[in-house]
Amino acid sequence: MCKGLRQGRNASSSCLKEGGFSLSSNATRGSGLVKCELCKSRASLYCQADDAYLCRKCDKWVHGANFLALRHIRCFLCNTCQNLTQRCLIGASHEVLLPTM
């Protein structure tokens, strides 16, 4: 079970696993590991605008390219189960918590 789910739905690290979100075909079957689209290391963020899973290093490189890309909202992946969380990045370092619906 995901560590975020055990903490409750209002915790900042709570996982959206129960919310119907699923990983794309980027997830390795069997292992559940989501790889970075660019360097193939473990992904830690998902950018919906680019439809891409990225590690922190590649995210900084891609979204630091220009001010338009920097405005993309990128959601963190759970460290345990690698599903989307409610914690997101907007800009270079502004972390926000999305409200639950």
Side-chain angles (χ1 to χ4, degrees), residues 23-24 26 34-38 43-55 58-59 62-63 72-77 84:
L23 299 175
S24 72
N26 189 21
V34 180
K35 295 181 180 179
C36 175
E37 306 278 343
L38 300 176
S44 58
L45 294 162
Y46 173 71
C47 176
Q48 185 175 6
D50 294 329
D51 190 25
Y53 292 93
L54 300 167
C55 66
C58 292
D59 174 69
V62 169
H63 292 100
H72 289 176
I73 298 171
R74 288 104 60 208
C75 290
F76 284 98
L77 299 178
L84 296 175

Side-chain angles (χ1 to χ4, degrees), residues 18-40:
E18 294 179 349
F21 290 95
S22 62
L23 299 175
S24 72
S25 60
N26 189 21
T28 306
R29 293 195 186 272
S31 69
L33 179 67
V34 180
K35 295 181 180 179
C36 175
E37 306 278 343
L38 300 176
C39 70
K40 304 301 180 202

